[in-house]
């Protein structure tokens, strides 16, 4: 794939995910996220980490922080961020 096409697809994915994050309608946000996911698979582009972090690793649904997911900071050693999907209750941790 040409670099120009790859950059255009990444920009389009970023714009669509931004619209999904700002949407107040849950169904519309899921449709936007599915469109971004399809662009990624169609063009065989791996989503950047910041975009992948918005999807649940178990059920693959779009999680808006504070709306469809719960984010907690754990103060133990090592410090971690705990993200809970409110659709499937899957918890995953990211070490800081």
């Amino acid at each position: 794939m040409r670099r120009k096409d790859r950059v255009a697809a990444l920009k389009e994915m970023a714009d669509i995910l931004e619209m999904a994050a700002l949407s107040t309608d849950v169904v519309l946000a899921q449709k936007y996220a599915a469109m971004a996911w399809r662009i990624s698979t169609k063009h065989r582009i791996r989503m950047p980490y910041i975009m992948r972090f918005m999807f649940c690793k178990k059920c693959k649904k779009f999680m808006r922080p504070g709306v469809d997911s719960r984010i907690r900071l754990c103060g133990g050693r090592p410090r971690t961020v705990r993200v809970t999907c409110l659709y499937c209750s899957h918890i995953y941790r990211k070490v800081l």
Side-chain angles (χ1 to χ4, degrees), residues 32-77:
Y32 282 148
M35 284 172 44
W37 192 272
R38 279 193 303 266
I39 290 171
S40 170
T41 57
K42 178 183 175 186
H43 294 290
R44 291 187 290 173
I45 298 173
R46 186 171 182 176
M47 278 190 184
Y49 177 75
I50 195 69
M51 291 183 196
R52 276 182 298 169
F53 191 71
M54 294 181 184
F55 290 90
C56 177
K57 293 182 180 189
K58 185 176 179 183
C59 67
K60 304 296 188 224
K61 287 204 177 200
F62 181 70
M63 300 184 305
R64 292 176 295 169
V67 178
D68 304 323
S69 66
R70 183 174 51 232
I71 300 173
R72 298 283 188 251
L73 291 173
C74 298
R77 291 285 173 215

Side-chain angles (χ1 to χ4, degrees), residues 13 15 23 32 37 44 51 69 76 83 87 89 92:
M13 281 192 305
D15 292 342
S23 176
Y32 282 148
W37 192 272
R44 291 187 290 173
M51 291 183 196
S69 66
V83 180
Y87 291 112
S89 300
Y92 55 99

